[in-house]
Amino acid sequence: MANKKIVKPDLAIQKDVGTKASDGTTLKNIWLELPGYCNLACSYCYAEGGKPKNIENLLSWNDYVSILEKAKAMGVEDVGIPGAGEPLLPRNKDLTFKVLEKCKDLGFYVTLFTTGEWIDEEVADRLYDLPVEVMIKGNSLKPEVQDAFVSDPSRGRNITGYGQRRNESLELLMSKGFNDEEKCQEKQGRKSRMALVTSIMDSETGPSNYAEMGEIQDYARENNIIFDVDSVLERGRGAGCELCTADQRIKSKLQELQAKDASRDPPIEWELSQSYIGTVCDRFSYHMYINQWGEVRPCIGAMDVNLGNVKENSLEESWNRQEMQIIRSRNYEGKCGDECANFSEIDEERTTEAGTPKYKCNSCLGRRTENLTNESLLEKGYVSTIGCWNHRPKE
């Protein structure tokens, strides 16, 4: 069809993923954990949220201030607060808002991951006035199914009522304008400031959202909510979790979601990627992850690579570690690095927009590598990769 209008998904999934102009020399984004207190019991939680271990070693308020101020001095532009615990749980709420206010003072935009359960009128209003986008757990829109996803009967944890409260929070956020494109553009230069976040999860004996993914997608598209979908990260309780879905089933479901978007009026078109719908993760080149005890990692998936602790080492030292330089140099070997066309080919469209080379895939440190440790990186001098369901052999 001539001159058809193509709508691109909001590539602001988790603020600028896939579009940030980075040449791999400047730290531009950090994820910063808050204490891992959480009232839910998700069997797939990468951080094993609940009650933090080593409470006496948690970051102090002064530590958070120091991290953020040093990050600003290094060139960091935005911050993520991951769901290692629930940031808006009453026990974490005051600290969370102090961190958000500090981020505002420093000019950071914040991506805040939350279960959504603790968002009331007061919290919604405070968040709306801050430079924040809210990434809400959205495993299922059906309250009873959502409750099953956040329960863990094997540990005697059966959660009820959460799914309904989360749905009420979604409605509240929309009533405040978090999904109003005109207001979001005017206030923060965004298409939307709220997202539904989930992995594709499937189980013969437990909950599944495999068949429901299209409904979640429709809900997001119809309400201008960012649709943020991936696969279970096999870390923490996610390692060996029965909700992990086979690669080919993930591929099949993503193809289904891709076709569904392409059939809309106007069409929404995106290429298949092993990372996010609509973009490719490129955090390896500009990002570091700091956990609740101050330990620094390359990213959420590379937890066995230790880059030091902010209480003992500077962010600059962590950023310039040899292990981090190997990762940032994109020196990957194996199934992805040596054999996959997606890894080697430049995405011309995104490169033109961003001004720096962007590739069709960067592999995933958390899902598509093997033996990713300090020792392996220093001994081999490269990242070993195992390939994925989207593998495309070089010609």
Side-chain angles (χ1 to χ4, degrees):
M1 182 184 300
N3 300 318
K4 73 173 180 178
K5 179 182 178 182
I6 302 296
V7 176
K8 291 291 185 182
D10 192 342
L11 296 184
I13 293 173
Q14 301 173 30
K15 189 65 173 73
D16 291 346
V17 172
T19 65
K20 194 176 286 293
S22 172
D23 59 6
T25 62
T26 304
L27 179 65
K28 294 198 172 188
N29 170 272
I30 60 170
W31 277 22
L32 183 57
E33 285 187 358
L34 296 174
Y37 297 107
C38 187
N39 60 308
L40 302 182
C42 306
S43 62
Y44 53 89
C45 180
Y46 78 96
E48 299 180 89
K51 182 179 180 181
K53 304 172 184 177
N54 303 321
I55 293 176
E56 66 278 5
N57 291 320
L58 290 171
L59 292 169
S60 68
W61 168 240
N62 288 336
D63 290 328
Y64 283 106
V65 171
S66 176
I67 292 167
L68 292 169
E69 289 181 345
K70 290 175 180 176
K72 180 68 175 181
M74 287 184 67
V76 166
E77 299 170 349
D78 39 71
V79 173
I81 298 178
E86 170 45 44
L88 299 174
L89 192 74
R91 193 164 189 173
N92 276 339
K93 178 182 172 183
D94 288 346
L95 175 60
T96 296
F97 275 103
K98 286 174 70 174
V99 169
L100 294 178
E101 291 286 355
K102 183 64 178 179
C103 287
K104 178 182 179 181
D105 291 343
L106 292 170
F108 293 142
Y109 191 90
V110 181
T111 297
L112 177 70
F113 290 81
T114 173
T115 66
E117 177 177 8
W118 302 96
I119 298 176
D120 56 17
E121 288 273 353
E122 181 248 349
V123 169
D125 287 339
R126 292 179 70 182
L127 290 174
Y128 189 78
D129 288 333
L130 290 165
V132 174
E133 65 184 12
V134 187
M135 315 292 282
I136 303 164
K137 182 184 292 293
N139 310 133
S140 173
L141 296 173
K142 302 170 184 176
E144 67 282 2
V145 177
Q146 181 60 81
D147 286 349
F149 272 117
V150 300
S151 298
D152 189 350
S154 69
R155 294 190 292 139
R157 299 291 309 280
N158 292 297
I159 308 297
T160 59
Y162 162 67
Q164 181 59 38
R165 291 190 292 274
R166 191 280 322 275
N167 284 358
E168 291 168 359
S169 293
L170 289 173
E171 293 297 323
L172 175 60
L173 289 171
M174 288 191 284
S175 74
K176 298 292 183 180
F178 279 83
N179 67 328
D180 185 308
E181 183 168 354
E182 184 175 343
K183 291 180 179 178
C184 291
Q185 290 284 8
E186 179 181 355
K187 195 168 183 67
Q188 302 294 347
R190 313 287 279 158
K191 289 183 179 180
S192 178
R193 293 175 58 200
M194 62 185 292
L196 280 173
V197 184
T198 187
S199 296
I200 298 173
M201 294 183 283
D202 201 12
S203 171
E204 293 183 0
T205 59
S208 172
N209 61 10
Y210 195 84
E212 192 188 350
M213 288 305 302
E215 296 174 42
I216 301 172
Q217 179 188 27
D218 286 343
Y219 180 86
R221 298 303 190 215
E222 291 165 7
N223 289 289
N224 190 36
I225 296 173
I226 298 168
F227 185 48
D228 191 338
V229 180
D230 59 13
S231 59
V232 172
L233 184 63
E234 296 189 44
R235 296 286 186 272
R237 291 198 293 268
C241 173
E242 68 168 7
L243 296 173
C244 295
T245 308
D247 280 357
Q248 288 305 311
R249 279 181 65 75
I250 289 177
K251 180 177 183 179
S252 177
K253 180 56 63 175
L254 288 176
Q255 288 174 325
E256 177 186 316
L257 299 179
Q258 181 189 45
K260 194 176 182 70
D261 268 349
S263 69
R264 299 182 193 277
D265 185 18
I268 301 174
E269 296 189 352
W270 42 273
E271 297 297 323
L272 285 181
S273 162
Q274 60 135 8
S275 48
Y276 302 109
I277 282 181
T279 193
V280 173
C281 183
D282 59 357
R283 288 197 189 95
F284 75 95
S285 66
Y286 59 78
H287 164 89
M288 289 194 302
Y289 187 106
I290 305 166
N291 72 17
Q292 57 201 290
W293 301 283
E295 298 162 345
V296 186
R297 304 290 188 258
C299 77
I300 193 172
M303 292 302 184
D304 294 326
V305 179
N306 188 337
L307 302 176
N309 190 301
V310 295
K311 298 175 184 178
E312 302 166 358
N313 312 105
S314 68
L315 284 180
E316 290 91 342
E317 288 174 322
S318 295
W319 179 246
N320 291 315
R321 285 276 294 258
Q322 185 176 352
E323 298 95 323
M324 194 66 194
Q325 292 185 49
I326 291 170
I327 290 171
R328 297 205 315 269
S329 69
R330 212 168 174 268
N331 188 3
Y332 292 16
E333 295 189 11
K335 194 75 172 180
C336 302
D338 294 324
E339 303 175 26
C340 186
N342 291 325
F343 186 84
S344 62
E345 290 182 5
I346 292 176
D347 185 328
E348 296 292 348
E349 181 179 346
R350 287 194 306 117
T351 295
T352 300
E353 294 175 355
T356 52
K358 297 289 180 179
Y359 294 86
K360 293 183 178 180
C361 183
N362 295 306
S363 193
C364 175
L365 295 177
R367 296 176 175 86
R368 303 302 171 185
T369 62
E370 60 181 359
N371 193 26
L372 187 60
T373 64
N374 294 69
E375 294 74 19
S376 175
L377 287 169
L378 294 176
E379 178 183 347
K380 296 179 179 179
Y382 60 81
V383 175
S384 296
T385 61
I386 60 174
C388 79
W389 52 263
N390 203 32
H391 180 77
R392 184 165 62 91
K394 292 181 180 179
E395 294 182 358

